[in-house]
């Protein structure tokens, strides 16, 4: 039997074993699907048994109607519901004796009559099995159970404490909106709909996680998004078999095209305007309940060097800043490696005066440049991590004072040279200047590989590493879309919004690799022109204001 056949059979067996394990997880954690009883006492006992008679499960027993005296109960979880809605609106409606007596003509239609005539609070629907009851109960809805009546009313009373809308802390802009996503899924979808008031903005809801039952929303603009990409995203989301989804990072790791790469193939953001702009380009968004980070895909490599502020300022300023970001990323990637290669193998490339200065500085240093760089980089990474994990006021002090003290002490002790401290400091600052944290941390990891190549091969090692990295980037895909588009494959029409940000009136088409249905996004005659005279205007430009 050939080797490749054995390997394929082994993969197939492993996949079958994994499928069996996930099926066991589903069976072991899913709630029972049996239907409810018409006996109210049995239903109450079953709820207490399944929930372990938890203290936050409120079971309020009451009697409905004046003539009928129907026994009923409302069940909700304290802290997940809007208490004023229950106490003022819901109880007031169902305690109306005349209305209840009028609805109690037939116990089989009693819930339907309550739904139509009595309860007018948001969304109200009838459920018949325990699975739906516990899912809705855990989502913040209120359940109404009536004795001798099959089924229950699910009343939308979701509320509770949640964080208010604030400016994103990780994506600060000088000019632009100040609102950011929160941990509430419905709040996040609302923030997106405020910017895209189109009925073609479709939202598909699903629950992922056999235990957590996390609410997920797949958002896209019908007619602009590529249907094949949407189908693939829907397929990957529905194929997830896991017990919990606690953050959008779970989803990102389970649906990405390539696992073994340091470069992110999905984009995440806290800004609603960024998500709206991506949707308008033909991408889709994944909103996860419980996190302010929304995923968008397909993601391109150049997208991680762009900011929402680029489109709110002039094109020449935005283009200059984008070039600066690419330069900053390059410095953070190969800055220490270039210094190691230049001082170890290629001294002839440096000015004579600079060589003498570096030689004097390194005269008492016992370690080679590579060991210096590795020690300093590790120290800065430790300080950076400590600054993030400590409380904010203390963390900033530790990171700044620690860097100054350790750097000065290391130089005075003769462990590292002053030039190495400068190089590592500039590299650390450059990594902070990268707009996306996901791409910045990738550069921080690959930086050590380039330092090793520079210590062994000099500039030739750096060039080889860059070639391998570019080939790796060209091999990546994000939901089937080329990661390095519009550079590889080359798309001339999409270069207007890459490193160069052309004027808005030139951005006439959406990215061709992402949106293939509705590519044109604006008219051709949008270039602003001044009036010829006091009352004369250019033809075909429409009405313009007089000077």
């Amino acid at each position: 039997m050939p080797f490749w056949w054995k390997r394929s059979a082994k993969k197939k067996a492993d996949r079958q074993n994994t499928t069996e394990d996930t099926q066991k997880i589903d069976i072991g954690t899913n709630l029972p699907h049996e239907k409810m009883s018409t006996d109210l006492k049995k239903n109450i006992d079953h709820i207490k048994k399944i929930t372990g008679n938890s203290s936050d499960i409120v079971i309020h027993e009451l009697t409905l109607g004046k003539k009928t005296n129907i026994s009923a109960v409302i069940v909700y979880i304290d802290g997940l519901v809007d208490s004023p809605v229950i106490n003022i609106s819901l109880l007031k409606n169902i305690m109306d004796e005349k209305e209840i007596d009028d609805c109690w003509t037939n116990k089989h239609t009693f819930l339907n009559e309550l739904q139509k005539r009595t309860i007018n609070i948001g969304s109200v629907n009838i459920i018949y099995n325990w699975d739906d009851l516990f899912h809705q109960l855990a989502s913040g809805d209120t359940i109404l159970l009536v004795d001798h009546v099959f089924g229950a009313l699910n009343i939308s009373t979701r509320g509770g404490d949640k964080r208010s809308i604030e400016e994103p802390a990780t994506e600060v802009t000088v000019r632009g909106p100040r609102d950011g996503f929160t941990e509430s899924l419905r709040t996040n979808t609302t923030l997106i709909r405020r910017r895209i008031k189109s009925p073609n903005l479709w939202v598909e809801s699903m629950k992922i996680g056999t235990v957590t039952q996390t609410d997920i929303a797949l958002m896209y603009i019908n007619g602009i998004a590529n249907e094949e990409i949407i189908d693939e995203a829907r397929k990957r989301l529905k194929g997830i078999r896991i017990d919990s989804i606690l953050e959008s990072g779970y989803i990102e790791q389970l649906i990405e095209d390539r696992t073994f790469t340091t470069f992110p193939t999905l984009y995440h953001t806290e800004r609603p305007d960024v998500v709206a702009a991506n949707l308008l380009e033909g991408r889709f968004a994944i909103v996860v309940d419980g996190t302010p980070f929304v995923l968008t895909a397909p993601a391109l490599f150049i997208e991680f060097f762009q900011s929402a502020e680029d489109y709110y300022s002039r094109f020449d300023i935005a283009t200059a800043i984008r070039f600066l970001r690419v330069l900053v990323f390059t410095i953070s990637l190969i800055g220490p490696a270039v210094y190691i290669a230049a001082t170890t193998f290629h001294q002839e490339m440096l000015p004579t005066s600079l060589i003498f200065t570096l030689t004097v500085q390194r005269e008492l240093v016992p370690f080679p440049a590579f060991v210096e760089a590795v020690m300093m980089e590790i120290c800065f990474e430790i300080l950076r991590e400590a600054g993030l994990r400590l409380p904010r006021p203390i963390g900033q002090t530790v990171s700044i004072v620690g860097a100054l003290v350790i750097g000065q002490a290391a130089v005075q002790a003769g462990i590292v040279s002053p030039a190495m401290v400068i190089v590592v400091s500039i590299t650390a600052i450059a990594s902070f200047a990268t707009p996306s944290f996901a791409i910045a941390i990738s550069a921080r990891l690959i930086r050590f590989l380039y330092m090793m190549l520079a210590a062994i091969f000099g500039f030739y090692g750096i060039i080889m590493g860059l070639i391998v990295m570019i080939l790796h980037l060209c091999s990546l895909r994000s939901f089937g879309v080329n990661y390095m588009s519009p550079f590889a494959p080359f798309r001339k029409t999409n270069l207007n919004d890459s490193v160069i940000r052309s004027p808005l009136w030139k951005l006439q088409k959406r990215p061709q690799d992402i949106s293939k249905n509705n590519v044109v996004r604006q008219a051709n005659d949008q270039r602003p022109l001044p009036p010829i005279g006091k009352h004369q205007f250019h033809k075909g430009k429409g009405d313009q204001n007089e000077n």
Side-chain angles (χ1 to χ4, degrees):
M1 183 179 294
F3 170 74
W4 62 269
W5 181 266
K6 292 181 179 179
R7 185 176 180 182
S8 177
K10 185 177 182 301
K11 286 185 176 180
K12 185 176 181 181
D14 293 340
R15 191 181 300 112
Q16 290 177 351
N17 294 335
T18 304
T19 304
E20 292 177 359
D21 292 340
T22 56
Q23 288 177 352
K24 292 178 181 178
I25 291 175
D26 291 343
I27 295 172
T29 56
N30 272 347
L31 293 168
H33 288 271
E34 65 263 19
K35 296 180 180 180
M36 291 177 284
S37 172
T38 57
D39 189 341
L40 183 61
K41 187 178 183 304
K42 290 184 178 179
N43 290 334
I44 294 175
D45 293 340
H46 188 74
I47 292 174
K48 291 181 178 180
K49 178 182 177 182
I50 293 296
T51 60
N53 200 15
S54 301
S55 58
D56 59 342
I57 305 294
V58 179
I59 301 176
H60 185 186
E61 299 184 16
L62 42 87
T63 303
L64 305 181
K66 184 177 181 179
K67 299 178 181 179
T68 54
N69 289 327
I70 311 167
S71 298
V73 64
I74 58 172
V75 185
Y76 60 90
I77 298 179
D78 188 22
L80 295 182
V81 298
D82 190 350
S83 298
V85 173
I86 296 177
N87 297 329
I88 299 175
S89 301
L90 177 59
L91 290 177
K92 180 179 178 181
N93 289 338
I94 62 177
M95 295 304 291
D96 190 335
E97 298 177 346
K98 184 177 183 305
E99 284 290 338
I100 295 297
D101 291 336
D102 293 340
C103 293
W104 187 258
T105 56
N106 188 346
K107 65 179 182 180
H108 299 292
T109 61
F110 180 66
L111 294 181
N112 290 304
E113 293 296 326
L114 281 180
Q115 180 184 9
K116 296 177 182 178
R117 298 172 51 179
T118 305
I119 302 177
N120 52 8
I121 304 173
S123 175
V124 182
N125 60 295
I126 303 175
I127 53 179
Y128 297 100
N129 59 70
W130 291 113
D131 187 34
D132 294 337
L133 185 146
F134 287 110
H135 287 336
Q136 300 301 328
L137 189 65
S139 299
D141 291 344
T142 299
I143 307 299
L144 173 63
L145 294 164
V146 182
D147 194 17
H148 302 301
V149 175
F150 175 63
L153 274 184
N154 174 51
I155 306 163
S156 179
T157 57
R158 301 183 184 186
D161 297 331
K162 59 183 179 180
R163 185 168 62 92
S164 61
I165 298 175
E166 301 171 351
E167 182 179 2
T170 58
E171 298 175 76
V172 180
T173 58
V174 177
R175 181 176 180 178
R178 292 290 185 263
D179 56 342
F181 290 124
T182 67
E183 286 75 18
S184 173
L185 182 141
R186 194 53 59 209
T187 301
N188 296 341
T189 56
T190 302
L191 290 174
I192 299 174
R193 282 202 177 273
R194 284 179 180 176
R195 288 165 170 81
I196 305 178
K197 301 178 179 66
S198 171
N200 291 324
L201 178 59
W202 289 6
V203 181
E204 297 183 9
S205 300
M206 58 189 75
K207 293 181 182 294
I208 302 180
T210 54
V211 176
T212 60
Q213 289 292 308
T214 307
D215 292 318
I216 309 292
L218 175 65
M219 303 186 68
Y220 59 93
I221 300 179
N222 184 45
I224 295 180
N226 191 338
E227 296 179 359
E228 296 179 357
I229 295 178
I230 300 301
D231 291 339
E232 179 65 23
R234 190 184 298 114
K235 178 181 177 182
R236 295 186 188 184
L237 288 173
K238 292 184 177 180
I240 295 177
R241 297 291 183 269
I242 193 172
D243 62 343
S244 63
I245 297 292
L246 302 179
E247 213 272 339
S248 58
Y250 283 59
I251 301 292
E252 180 180 1
Q253 298 175 60
L254 293 172
I255 66 173
E256 59 186 357
D257 289 49
R258 184 80 67 86
T259 299
F260 298 102
T261 179
T262 60
F263 295 96
T265 54
L266 276 82
Y267 190 83
H268 64 266
T269 179
E270 288 186 87
R271 297 185 62 90
D273 55 335
V274 173
V275 175
N278 287 336
L279 292 175
L280 291 169
E281 287 188 348
R283 295 179 173 88
F284 64 87
I286 300 176
V287 187
V288 181
D289 190 26
T291 175
F293 290 94
V294 175
L295 303 176
T296 61
L300 306 180
F301 178 71
I302 194 61
E303 183 182 354
F304 294 92
F305 301 94
Q306 300 172 354
S307 174
E309 194 175 4
D310 296 346
Y311 302 93
Y312 308 146
S313 57
R314 289 183 52 83
F315 74 96
D316 47 0
I317 298 175
T319 301
I321 294 177
R322 285 188 180 181
F323 274 105
L324 177 63
R325 291 172 188 151
V326 175
L327 176 62
V328 161
F329 176 77
T330 306
I331 293 174
S332 65
L333 189 66
I334 62 174
V338 170
Y339 177 81
I340 293 171
T343 56
T344 306
F345 294 99
H346 308 283
Q347 295 91 345
E348 69 279 359
M349 298 183 65
L350 300 176
T352 305
S353 58
L354 180 59
I355 284 293
F356 286 148
T357 303
L358 294 177
T359 302
V360 172
Q361 292 179 2
R362 292 187 47 78
E363 186 175 0
L364 300 177
V365 177
F367 304 108
F370 172 70
V371 177
E372 276 187 89
V374 170
M375 288 193 303
M376 290 303 298
E377 286 290 345
I378 292 176
C379 287
F380 271 97
E381 292 297 330
I382 293 173
L383 288 173
R384 191 200 319 255
E385 192 68 17
L388 287 175
R389 305 307 167 194
L390 286 172
R392 185 168 298 178
I394 304 176
Q396 295 177 354
T397 305
V398 168
S399 59
I400 296 174
V401 175
L404 293 175
V405 172
I406 292 177
Q408 184 67 24
V411 171
Q412 291 181 354
I415 299 176
V416 297
S417 62
M420 180 60 72
V421 175
I422 295 173
V423 170
V424 174
S425 301
I426 293 175
T427 305
I429 295 172
S431 65
F432 285 124
T434 306
S436 174
F437 176 78
I439 203 72
I441 197 171
S442 299
R444 286 162 53 186
L445 293 176
I446 304 175
R447 185 189 307 156
F448 290 93
L449 178 61
Y450 279 105
M451 290 162 53
M452 187 181 302
L453 292 174
I456 299 174
F457 303 105
F459 279 125
Y460 301 104
I462 296 176
I463 294 173
M464 285 190 299
L466 289 174
I467 293 174
V468 172
M469 187 188 76
I470 292 174
L471 292 176
H472 174 69
L473 289 173
C474 293
S475 68
L476 293 179
R477 299 288 186 274
S478 179
F479 284 84
V481 177
N482 296 285
Y483 192 59
M484 288 298 290
S485 178
F487 306 107
F490 183 73
R491 304 289 188 188
K492 183 178 179 180
T493 57
N494 296 343
L495 292 177
N496 293 334
D497 191 16
S498 56
V499 180
I500 300 173
R501 209 281 275 172
S502 299
L504 287 179
W505 52 266
K506 289 194 67 175
L507 304 179
Q508 299 173 2
K509 295 184 178 180
R510 297 181 176 87
Q512 295 181 3
D513 292 336
I514 297 176
S515 177
K516 297 182 179 180
N517 301 326
N518 187 0
V519 179
V520 178
R521 62 191 310 173
Q522 62 176 314
N524 295 329
D525 58 346
Q526 298 295 308
R527 180 177 182 178
L529 295 173
I532 297 175
K534 187 174 182 180
H535 300 288
Q536 298 176 355
F537 303 95
H538 290 273
K539 296 181 179 180
K541 293 301 297 179
D543 296 334
Q544 298 188 17
N545 296 327
E546 296 182 1
N547 289 335

